[in-house]
mmCIF file of all heavy atoms in Angstrom:
data_model
loop_
_atom_site.group_PDB
_atom_site.id
_atom_site.type_symbol
_atom_site.label_atom_id
_atom_site.label_comp_id
_atom_site.label_asym_id
_atom_site.label_seq_id
_atom_site.Cartn_x
_atom_site.Cartn_y
_atom_site.Cartn_z
ATOM 1 N N VAL A 1047 0.667 31.117 -22.049
ATOM 2 C CA VAL A 1047 1.524 30.156 -21.352
ATOM 3 C C VAL A 1047 0.690 28.980 -20.884
ATOM 4 O O VAL A 1047 -0.539 29.079 -20.683
ATOM 5 C CB VAL A 1047 2.249 30.776 -20.137
ATOM 6 C CG1 VAL A 1047 3.140 31.910 -20.611
ATOM 7 C CG2 VAL A 1047 1.262 31.269 -19.089
ATOM 8 N N THR A 1048 1.369 27.871 -20.709
ATOM 9 C CA THR A 1048 0.799 26.661 -20.121
ATOM 10 C C THR A 1048 1.845 26.086 -19.124
ATOM 11 O O THR A 1048 3.037 26.305 -19.291
ATOM 12 C CB THR A 1048 0.347 25.644 -21.140
ATOM 13 O OG1 THR A 1048 -0.433 24.596 -20.525
ATOM 14 C CG2 THR A 1048 1.559 25.012 -21.869
ATOM 15 N N GLN A 1049 1.361 25.348 -18.175
ATOM 16 C CA GLN A 1049 2.273 24.836 -17.135
ATOM 17 C C GLN A 1049 3.236 23.809 -17.708
ATOM 18 O O GLN A 1049 2.853 22.908 -18.468
ATOM 19 C CB GLN A 1049 1.454 24.191 -16.023
ATOM 20 C CG GLN A 1049 0.652 25.223 -15.161
ATOM 21 C CD GLN A 1049 -0.119 24.542 -14.079
ATOM 22 O OE1 GLN A 1049 -0.550 23.411 -14.222
ATOM 23 N NE2 GLN A 1049 -0.328 25.261 -13.005
ATOM 24 N N SER A 1050 4.516 23.941 -17.349
ATOM 25 C CA SER A 1050 5.539 22.972 -17.744
ATOM 26 C C SER A 1050 6.774 23.143 -16.838
ATOM 27 O O SER A 1050 7.310 24.228 -16.783
ATOM 28 C CB SER A 1050 5.944 23.170 -19.197
ATOM 29 O OG SER A 1050 7.048 22.348 -19.508
ATOM 30 N N GLN A 1051 7.143 22.059 -16.193
ATOM 31 C CA GLN A 1051 8.331 22.082 -15.374
ATOM 32 C C GLN A 1051 9.527 21.433 -15.989
ATOM 33 O O GLN A 1051 10.565 21.285 -15.371
ATOM 34 C CB GLN A 1051 8.023 21.420 -14.014
ATOM 35 C CG GLN A 1051 7.041 22.222 -13.142
ATOM 36 C CD GLN A 1051 6.732 21.513 -11.837
ATOM 37 O OE1 GLN A 1051 6.668 20.292 -11.775
ATOM 38 N NE2 GLN A 1051 6.536 22.293 -10.785
ATOM 39 N N SER A 1052 9.394 20.994 -17.227
ATOM 40 C CA SER A 1052 10.488 20.282 -17.901
ATOM 41 C C SER A 1052 11.686 21.194 -18.087
ATOM 42 O O SER A 1052 11.561 22.337 -18.578
ATOM 43 C CB SER A 1052 10.002 19.785 -19.277
ATOM 44 O OG SER A 1052 9.004 18.815 -19.120
ATOM 45 N N ILE A 1053 12.854 20.706 -17.718
ATOM 46 C CA ILE A 1053 14.112 21.450 -17.919
ATOM 47 C C ILE A 1053 15.340 20.512 -18.033
ATOM 48 O O ILE A 1053 16.206 20.839 -18.818
ATOM 49 C CB ILE A 1053 14.325 22.481 -16.770
ATOM 50 C CG1 ILE A 1053 15.397 23.481 -17.107
ATOM 51 C CG2 ILE A 1053 14.564 21.774 -15.439
ATOM 52 C CD1 ILE A 1053 15.052 24.447 -18.223
ATOM 53 N N SER A 1054 15.350 19.418 -17.309
ATOM 54 C CA SER A 1054 16.526 18.524 -17.362
ATOM 55 C C SER A 1054 16.199 17.289 -18.182
ATOM 56 O O SER A 1054 15.092 16.742 -18.092
ATOM 57 C CB SER A 1054 16.923 18.070 -15.958
ATOM 58 O OG SER A 1054 17.383 19.199 -15.207
ATOM 59 N N ASN A 1055 17.159 16.850 -18.991
ATOM 60 C CA ASN A 1055 16.930 15.723 -19.901
ATOM 61 C C ASN A 1055 15.626 15.907 -20.657
ATOM 62 O O ASN A 1055 14.752 15.045 -20.609
ATOM 63 C CB ASN A 1055 16.941 14.385 -19.160
ATOM 64 C CG ASN A 1055 18.360 13.930 -18.819
ATOM 65 O OD1 ASN A 1055 19.301 14.429 -19.360
ATOM 66 N ND2 ASN A 1055 18.461 13.009 -17.873
ATOM 67 N N ALA A 1056 15.507 17.045 -21.264
ATOM 68 C CA ALA A 1056 14.169 17.409 -21.920
ATOM 69 C C ALA A 1056 14.373 17.638 -23.388
ATOM 70 O O ALA A 1056 15.407 18.008 -23.914
ATOM 71 C CB ALA A 1056 13.644 18.649 -21.216
ATOM 72 N N ILE A 1057 13.236 17.467 -24.106
ATOM 73 C CA ILE A 1057 13.143 17.760 -25.518
ATOM 74 C C ILE A 1057 11.874 18.579 -25.723
ATOM 75 O O ILE A 1057 10.776 18.230 -25.322
ATOM 76 C CB ILE A 1057 13.057 16.471 -26.361
ATOM 77 C CG1 ILE A 1057 14.287 15.601 -26.156
ATOM 78 C CG2 ILE A 1057 12.892 16.804 -27.839
ATOM 79 C CD1 ILE A 1057 14.206 14.248 -26.855
ATOM 80 N N TRP A 1058 12.080 19.726 -26.393
ATOM 81 C CA TRP A 1058 10.949 20.594 -26.763
ATOM 82 C C TRP A 1058 10.821 20.634 -28.271
ATOM 83 O O TRP A 1058 11.831 20.882 -28.976
ATOM 84 C CB TRP A 1058 11.200 22.039 -26.241
ATOM 85 C CG TRP A 1058 11.345 22.141 -24.781
ATOM 86 C CD1 TRP A 1058 10.389 22.555 -23.868
ATOM 87 C CD2 TRP A 1058 12.559 22.057 -24.020
ATOM 88 N NE1 TRP A 1058 10.927 22.614 -22.590
ATOM 89 C CE2 TRP A 1058 12.242 22.333 -22.640
ATOM 90 C CE3 TRP A 1058 13.892 21.715 -24.367
ATOM 91 C CZ2 TRP A 1058 13.194 22.315 -21.660
ATOM 92 C CZ3 TRP A 1058 14.822 21.684 -23.348
ATOM 93 C CH2 TRP A 1058 14.503 21.951 -22.022
ATOM 94 N N GLU A 1059 9.634 20.476 -28.771
ATOM 95 C CA GLU A 1059 9.417 20.571 -30.235
ATOM 96 C C GLU A 1059 8.166 21.398 -30.517
ATOM 97 O O GLU A 1059 7.193 21.359 -29.775
ATOM 98 C CB GLU A 1059 9.264 19.194 -30.870
ATOM 99 C CG GLU A 1059 10.512 18.371 -30.861
ATOM 100 C CD GLU A 1059 10.373 17.078 -31.702
ATOM 101 O OE1 GLU A 1059 9.707 17.129 -32.751
ATOM 102 O OE2 GLU A 1059 10.932 16.024 -31.300
ATOM 103 N N PHE A 1060 8.183 22.145 -31.617
ATOM 104 C CA PHE A 1060 7.020 22.914 -32.050
ATOM 105 C C PHE A 1060 7.224 23.357 -33.480
ATOM 106 O O PHE A 1060 8.362 23.299 -34.011
ATOM 107 C CB PHE A 1060 6.806 24.127 -31.111
ATOM 108 C CG PHE A 1060 7.957 25.106 -31.111
ATOM 109 C CD1 PHE A 1060 8.058 26.172 -31.977
ATOM 110 C CD2 PHE A 1060 8.973 24.938 -30.174
ATOM 111 C CE1 PHE A 1060 9.115 27.040 -31.987
ATOM 112 C CE2 PHE A 1060 10.040 25.834 -30.132
ATOM 113 C CZ PHE A 1060 10.123 26.871 -31.029
#
Side-chain angles (χ1 to χ4, degrees):
V1047 298
T1048 190
Q1049 292 179 329
S1050 174
Q1051 292 179 325
S1052 295
I1053 193 70
S1054 296
N1055 281 344
I1057 300 174
W1058 300 264
E1059 292 188 37
F1060 60 90

